[in-house]
Amino acid sequence: MARAPLTLTSKPPLLLPTVTPLRQQIRRPTTVRCSAATVTTTTSMPDCHPSLEISGGGVDRFLPAFKTLHLPYKPYPIFGWNRHVETIFAAFYRKFPEVRYRRECLRTKDDGAIALDWVCGDRSLPADSPTLILLPGLTGGSQDSYVKYMLVKARSKGWRVVVFNSRGCGDSPVTTPQLQSAKFPDDMCHVVDHVSSRYPKANIYAVGWSLGGNILVNYLGTEASKCPLSGAVSLCNPFNLVIADENLRKGFNNIYDRALREALCRIFTKNALLFEDMENEFNVQVGLKPTTVREYDEAITRVALGFKSVDEYYSNSCSCHILQHVRVPLLCIQAANDPIAPIEGTPREDIKGNPNCMLIVTPQGGHLGWIAGDDAPFGAPWTDNVVMDFLDHLQKDATKPQPSNSAISEAVQQT
């Protein structure tokens, strides 16, 4: 059986939190809601519904891409009204589309391993078909429902799709004492270079959720003008890991900290032998039985990355600090009531000041929930159509990449 997204415990809680009135759930954003006056000064620009907050330096450029933003965001009754109910319901009860993968393992420069899951049946696609790289959240992988729904949507439009399973995630092999982290751009660089060389005639795009979104934005900002991607989307990105860490240990949010801690512990336990030879550096015993995600990161993650403390790791891994350097089209989608990626961490001002970025904030959505739209409550999240509108728009206007001779040679060898 496939594992549930968010890597929550195998059995749902016996009691769900009480559904509170809508006005008590939503933390009102400090910026104004979307309107024709605030979004653009061009009269021909399509309008968007006031239930959505839309901003960013790229609004004028990207808003015409979207076919449904003029409609109100309508959360599914009961399940979509409370952020905890929505998050838990999506994790346990959202259906899983049938998807078949073929796995490819890459060897990294540090002798590590990365698992790429390609969607079966894409060999018949044209060589210049747009290619989409998907980055799941913390401990997530190609088995998660939100990942599968996105790739099904993209495949239906003729896109080639591959899931990037971070080290140790998605049952990928682990060969070095290095597991998934919020900031390890070398792996993302390796994956993008590999996919680009395999399909040199195709435009490459990426979508990341939660921690995968943070990894993606960190990569985009680090590469800046050198980034070979033609566009990207970030969803439920925590952006500011310091704020996210504090928020994760408050009140009912402890249930998510516990679920993520247990998922991290399961992955680490399978690979603990790789860390035992370095016990003076890693605190293996704490890594096997951490009490919080923060405690695990202090014992294992920050050591693997060379940081002196977990606070240094968090502060240096925030994608909010590097978003200003993004030079490719980037759509960020956040939920105002997200319990894991709090909206307070979203760098609104940097997004507004970057002509390549656009932000959409929905009033509800929880974390990786977005139980709204025609497919609610058991089907695809509301965001899938929005994401594909954006990517299709970019692909329509994109120029074809000019592959180098070495890229063409490598692609010929792999066919």
Side-chain angles (χ1 to χ4, degrees), residues 22 25 75-83 85-86 337 364-365 371:
L22 185 60
Q25 299 169 31
Y76 194 83
I78 306 299
F79 303 126
W81 289 350
N82 177 279
R83 60 178 178 166
V85 172
E86 184 166 18
N337 66 347
Q364 291 88 26
I371 302 176

Side-chain angles (χ1 to χ4, degrees), residues 13 22 65 90 102 149 159 220 256 301 306 313 355 361 373 383 402 412:
L22 185 60
R102 67 177 189 278
Y149 275 112
W159 287 56
L220 298 176
Y256 310 120
T301 310
Y313 161 55
V361 180
T383 49
Q402 299 298 319
V412 170

